[in-house]
Amino acid sequence: MRSVFKYSLLRLVRNKANLFWILVFPIVLACLFKVAFSNITESESFHTIPVAVVSDESINAKAFCAMTDALSTDENDAMLAVTYCRDKKAKKLLKEKKVDGIFYAKDTVTLSVNADASDSSINQSILQVLLTQFYVNRDLVLKSMNDHPENIKNLTTSLSETISPRKEVSLTSADTDTYDQYFYNLIAMACLYTALGGIRLAIENAANLTSLAARKTISPTRKFTAIAGELAAYILFESILNILAFLSIVKVLGIHMAQRPLLSLLTIVISSACSISFGMFLGCIGPKSKGGKTTIMFVIVMPCCFLSGLMMGTMRMVVEKHAPFINRINPAALISDCFYTLNNYDNLQRFATDLLTLSVMAVLFFGISCLVTRRKTYASL
């Protein structure tokens, strides 16, 4: 068994197609994901809005300036960066896109924006909402002064407490990102691609398909011992490739998906074993040609990745709502959910359930493959 294990490793090292699909392709795809999602995250993140204010000495102007001052006092988390200036300078700043809008604070407060600054449309909308909110609050204070002057102090206090525009609330102790799930699914896809090795292993032990398998059949080595040695080599080597891809994504690209590194590596090893066993199962059934078996593998793996959310992030939630059983047997969903649970949950019960399911699937596929392989007989070789 030791020699089988050794020479299986040497053959795997020379398999360039295997190296590409399991190591190179996931890393390249991860780099593309990083470039695409970093731009999205940057566009969605909030930045302090630069604005110019042109005011006079009217009551409305003073009230509005008090509101803008309150929204720009926090240096680290200010909503507005206010520049008080004259009309001429304000228009110049707006034309040069150094501010996103001009507030004219007089008896009537108005907002002026640059219609050509499409990249500032979100900030312009926020400024318009602030202006609307100012008028709502002003009318509320005036009405309270006329109808219930005794409540004016409590009202002004409550209005000032709602000035903070943002509050960050963390649902978990981990540093997570909305788009990390795509990288979880990417690792799941890489693990499932190790099924290619399982197909190769099955073909190389089918004497009617390859001359190598024919020589193995008439050798004195027990068939189960030979298959077990080869399987161990495949699991070790392809797990290492997946681990290298995982470490590249974590260390080089800086994706936060290694909160529990040892359990993450265990997930990769068990996922690789499950996928290789699945590949063996496919190699024992279906078309005789390697190309036909590989096609079946991709036809199964890619829909699994799609349903787990690799191409559409919300797809897994859609499946969970309408057909949750699919998520319980979809290996891609189970693998990605393992990483999601490790990086977001303190309780590992859900992770243990997913990993146990993958382990049972690996044993089941390997057992069936061994039974099918051992029962095959050949009239002549």
Side-chain angles (χ1 to χ4, degrees), residues 22 189-198 238-239 242 271-273 275-276:
I22 300 175
M189 182 193 71
C191 290
L192 291 180
Y193 275 174
T194 59
L196 292 169
E238 301 200 353
S239 294
N242 280 323
S271 301
S272 299
S275 185
I276 292 171

Side-chain angles (χ1 to χ4, degrees), residues 66-133:
M67 184 189 77
T68 55
D69 288 341
L71 293 173
S72 59
T73 52
D74 190 343
E75 294 182 0
N76 297 323
D77 199 31
M79 186 177 188
L80 300 179
V82 182
T83 301
Y84 293 98
C85 57
R86 297 183 178 276
D87 185 26
K88 185 176 181 180
K89 183 179 179 181
K91 290 180 178 178
K92 181 181 179 181
L93 292 174
L94 183 62
K95 184 177 181 181
E96 296 174 352
K97 296 184 179 181
K98 293 182 179 179
V99 297
D100 293 329
I102 304 172
F103 282 117
Y104 290 96
K106 300 179 181 180
D107 286 333
T108 301
V109 182
T110 58
L111 172 65
S112 177
V113 297
N114 188 349
D116 297 330
S118 58
D119 54 337
S120 303
S121 58
I122 295 178
N123 289 348
Q124 292 172 359
S125 299
I126 294 174
L127 295 178
Q128 182 60 52
V129 171
L130 285 178
L131 181 59
T132 303
Q133 187 64 40

Side-chain angles (χ1 to χ4, degrees), residues 35-198:
V35 172
F37 297 146
S38 61
N39 291 336
I40 294 175
T41 304
E42 180 66 20
S43 65
E44 289 180 349
S45 60
F46 181 84
H47 301 281
T48 300
I49 303 173
V51 63
V53 176
V54 180
S55 64
D56 58 17
E57 298 299 321
S58 63
I59 296 177
N60 270 347
K62 291 181 179 179
F64 183 80
C65 290
M67 184 189 77
T68 55
D69 288 341
L71 293 173
S72 59
T73 52
D74 190 343
E75 294 182 0
N76 297 323
D77 199 31
M79 186 177 188
L80 300 179
V82 182
T83 301
Y84 293 98
C85 57
R86 297 183 178 276
D87 185 26
K88 185 176 181 180
K89 183 179 179 181
K91 290 180 178 178
K92 181 181 179 181
L93 292 174
L94 183 62
K95 184 177 181 181
E96 296 174 352
K97 296 184 179 181
K98 293 182 179 179
V99 297
D100 293 329
I102 304 172
F103 282 117
Y104 290 96
K106 300 179 181 180
D107 286 333
T108 301
V109 182
T110 58
L111 172 65
S112 177
V113 297
N114 188 349
D116 297 330
S118 58
D119 54 337
S120 303
S121 58
I122 295 178
N123 289 348
Q124 292 172 359
S125 299
I126 294 174
L127 295 178
Q128 182 60 52
V129 171
L130 285 178
L131 181 59
T132 303
Q133 187 64 40
F134 166 74
Y135 276 112
V136 170
N137 292 346
R138 187 202 63 174
D139 294 341
L140 187 60
V141 171
L142 292 176
K143 182 175 177 59
S144 180
M145 289 179 63
N146 293 330
D147 299 341
H148 302 284
E150 68 278 5
N151 296 331
I152 189 65
K153 183 177 180 181
N154 293 334
L155 176 62
T156 54
T157 301
S158 64
L159 290 177
S160 63
E161 289 176 350
T162 60
I163 284 221
S164 178
R166 299 178 283 154
K167 183 177 181 180
E168 183 176 347
V169 178
S170 178
L171 300 178
T172 68
S173 57
D175 184 10
T176 60
D177 188 274
T178 306
Y179 300 100
D180 285 350
Q181 61 177 325
Y182 287 97
F183 294 94
Y184 304 154
N185 282 287
L186 180 59
I187 291 296
M189 182 193 71
C191 290
L192 291 180
Y193 275 174
T194 59
L196 292 169

